[in-house]
Structures are given as C-alpha cells and as structure tokens.
Amino acid sequence: MNLANRITIARIFLVPVVSLVLLIHYDFWSITINHQTTTGSEMIAAFVFVLAASTDGLDGYIARKRQLVTNFGKFLDPLADKLLISAVLISLVQMQRLPAWVAIVIISREFAVTGLRLVAAAEGVVIAASRVAKLKTVTQIIAMVALIINNFPFSWFGFPFANLMLYLMVVITVVSGLDYFWKNKRIIRVTD
C-alpha cells in the first residue's frame, strides 16, 4: 500500500461524504440571487468534490514520479474516478439540478470506455487517457461544481454558466467516448 494508492483510496472515501453533504440539507447559511439559492452545505460539497477530484492527478503524478505504479493502482484509480463522478451526477439528479438523461449519457460512456479498456487489457494493450478525455474530465468537474453551487456567482449577472457547462460537458463526454472507440477499433475487430 503505497502513497499513491492511499490517495486513491482517500478519494473513494470522499465519495459518500460529497453525496451526504449534497443530499442532507443542513443549511447554516444561504444566499439567493435572481431566484437561485446557494447554501453553505452546497459550498462545502463543492469544496470536498474539488478536493477529491484533484487527488486524481496527484495520485497519478506520485505513482509515476516515484515509480510506484502497481496493478492495484491501475485498477483502483479509474474505479475511484467513476465512483466520484457517478455519485455526484446521481446526487445532482436527485437535487433536480441535472436532467436524468445527462447522467445516463455520461455514466454510460464511462462504463463503455471501461469495457473497452478491459477488452484491450485482455489483449495486452493499455489504453492511455487521450487529450480529449483529459479535457472531458476538466469540463465535467467545472460543470458539476457550477451545478452544485447553483450557478453562483454567475447568477448575479444572469449568465447561465452552469447550463452552458452542462451542455459542453455532454458534448465533450460523447466526443471523448467516440474518440476512444475510433482510435481503438482494431481491438474490437480482433475480439470478434
């Protein structure tokens, strides 16, 4: 159990914390701007989500820098990412800040790419994260934070930042999924 794997496990333990803070309303303060309310618990949830999401890059950096890459870490890291993203998406649907179809599209893409990676691994091929996939991750984090905090502070200006990021998140997520399958179509053909 090296440092990189401990950070990944910490990210997994933060998943229920983020969801609990989002779904159990303990509003010790709130601010309403243009009929959009952001609560203190939502701000804390956004902070914990960003903290958890930022550990993704950190654990990978440490593993590569200190040569601590393990099979356990290769398995656990993407699992932790999918758990975090899925939990927040489902929580946002429950809060009625995200249409269910968006969560379904994004979670489906995550499972499809994971399946592709498993097939590739069985063939001895490692599929690294592409630039589009990295952009997808950043876009998802920004969009989900904007949705968690209910478009704060953009609601002051009446600018629909959260909604714009939501649709950008969907487009980039779909494009990155298609990109994985297009670039790795030979793996699918080999296993037919």
Side-chain angles (χ1 to χ4, degrees):
M1 184 60 64
N2 61 46
L3 178 60
N5 290 343
R6 285 185 181 143
I7 292 170
T8 303
I9 289 170
R11 182 162 69 253
I12 291 172
F13 281 113
L14 287 174
V15 170
V17 173
V18 173
S19 291
L20 283 173
V21 175
L22 278 173
L23 298 176
I24 297 174
H25 296 284
Y26 179 73
D27 302 333
F28 51 91
W29 69 265
S30 65
I31 183 167
T32 301
I33 303 165
N34 293 331
H35 308 292
Q36 291 181 305
T37 301
T38 302
T39 66
S41 61
E42 291 165 352
M43 294 298 268
I44 291 169
F47 174 77
V48 175
F49 173 65
V50 169
L51 177 68
S54 66
T55 65
D56 181 29
L58 180 64
D59 61 6
Y61 173 78
I62 289 171
R64 286 185 301 276
K65 182 83 171 172
R66 297 184 182 179
Q67 298 177 348
L68 300 173
V69 177
T70 64
N71 287 335
F72 180 70
K74 288 178 189 176
F75 166 76
L76 200 60
D77 184 59
L79 177 65
D81 298 341
K82 283 159 188 43
L83 287 172
L84 179 64
I85 296 300
S86 298
V88 173
L89 288 170
I90 293 166
S91 297
L92 288 167
V93 169
Q94 175 68 27
M95 296 168 66
Q96 298 181 346
R97 297 219 179 138
L98 183 75
W101 70 266
V102 171
I104 291 166
V105 166
I106 292 172
I107 293 169
S108 296
R109 179 263 182 216
E110 297 299 334
F111 278 105
V113 170
T114 298
L116 177 64
R117 282 188 161 147
L118 289 172
V119 169
E123 297 294 320
V125 177
V126 175
I127 299 176
S130 66
R131 289 186 182 189
V132 179
K134 291 177 182 179
L135 176 63
K136 178 236 10 154
T137 301
V138 170
T139 306
Q140 285 180 345
I141 292 167
I142 292 169
M144 286 190 263
V145 167
L147 291 166
I148 289 170
I149 60 176
N150 209 13
N151 202 42
F152 180 82
F154 297 99
S155 53
W156 267 328
F157 316 109
F159 181 68
F161 180 75
N163 286 337
L164 292 174
M165 288 306 301
L166 182 148
Y167 291 111
L168 183 62
M169 170 180 69
V170 171
V171 169
I172 293 177
T173 297
V174 170
V175 167
S176 73
L178 293 173
D179 181 59
Y180 270 114
F181 280 90
W182 177 255
K183 288 180 178 173
N184 296 288
K185 61 185 177 236
R186 71 188 184 289
I187 293 168
I188 299 167
R189 288 185 186 144
V190 168
T191 59
D192 283 344

